[in-house]
Structures are given as structure tokens and as C-alpha cells.
Amino acid sequence: MASLDKVLYTARTHTTGGREGAARSDDGRLDITMSPPGTAGKGTNPEQLFAAGYSACFIGAMKAVAMREKITLPADLSVDAEVDLGPVGQAYGIAVRMRIQLPGMDKAAAEQLVAAAHEICPYSNATRGNIDVQLTVA
């Protein structure tokens, strides 16, 4: 396991009650109620948070690659993320599917950009070899 060369940011949260609880960041910018997936609860769940976090981070990675390679990204680029939760033997696991839209970009160039972003994205690096991640360029 590689350790960080330098810490650029540390996120801090306090969570109570698990999937039926609440989570709040130390700066108060995140303050959410949690509900188990598939229930009538009014809160979000860890899988939705993971989908939002991974897709936002992946867009950041695409922007970093684009800046390095001097590629102009479409202003309306987007990522639709799906995170599946299910049993893996006696435990539970997740799988990720992300559909990346880069309107107006050449398909081959878009796929090359996505592959490069997948190499530098912190979420991609954290999940690589641990869970199934499928990336599709729309």
C-alpha cells in the first residue's frame, strides 16, 4: 500500500446511528440524515454518497488530464454514476458503473481522456482491484 507523499486535505465527519442515523462534517457544510437504501426514509445512504463522491472526483480527474494535455472539455460534461450493493459470500460489496458524457468530443479522444482520468482519480485508485468499476463513454 502506497502512502501519501503529502496530505492536501483531510475531510472530517461525525456519524451516529449508521444507516438510520446522521452525519455531519466538522465545518458544518455537510449535515445529512441517513436512511437505509430502498426504504421510505427521508435521508440519503452511503451508496448514494459514494456515487456522488466518485463521479465528482472523476470529473476533477478528467479536468486535470485535460489541463495537462491542453484538451478543451465540453462545458456540459457529466457523469451518471450507479453504485450497486449486494452480497459477496457472507459479506457485502459494491460495484460501480459510470456513464461519462462528453458532448461534441471525438469518441476515441473521449475514451482516451477517460482512461487517463481513471489512472489518476483517487477513487479509481482506491477501488482498483477491490471492486468492479465499469466506465462507459456515451
Side-chain angles (χ1 to χ4, degrees):
M1 176 173 70
S3 58
L4 299 176
D5 293 336
K6 177 181 176 182
V7 174
L8 299 175
Y9 173 75
T10 300
R12 291 179 179 87
T13 61
H14 179 75
T15 304
T16 57
R19 290 181 177 271
E20 294 90 16
R24 187 171 198 279
S25 61
D26 64 337
D27 62 6
R29 294 168 81 180
L30 177 73
D31 191 355
I32 56 172
T33 300
M34 306 293 283
S35 297
T39 67
K42 295 183 188 223
T44 187
N45 60 64
E47 292 72 32
Q48 288 173 332
L49 294 170
F50 192 84
Y54 196 165
S55 57
C57 190
F58 199 83
I59 288 172
M62 287 192 297
K63 288 180 177 181
V65 170
M67 186 169 19
R68 181 183 70 210
E69 302 294 326
K70 296 177 180 33
I71 298 169
T72 301
L73 292 175
D76 55 348
L77 75 89
S78 63
V79 175
D80 293 319
E82 297 178 324
V83 174
D84 299 323
L85 170 68
V88 178
Q90 297 297 311
Y92 289 91
I94 60 172
V96 174
R97 289 181 308 283
M98 291 198 293
R99 185 173 180 265
I100 299 104
Q101 290 98 33
L102 295 155
M105 257 187 104
D106 172 75
K107 178 91 168 183
E111 288 175 345
Q112 203 169 19
L113 172 78
V114 165
H118 191 45
E119 290 301 312
I120 68 166
C121 176
Y123 276 71
S124 293
N125 287 325
T127 60
R128 187 170 288 112
N130 297 312
I131 66 169
D132 184 32
V133 175
Q134 296 176 15
L135 304 174
T136 304
V137 177

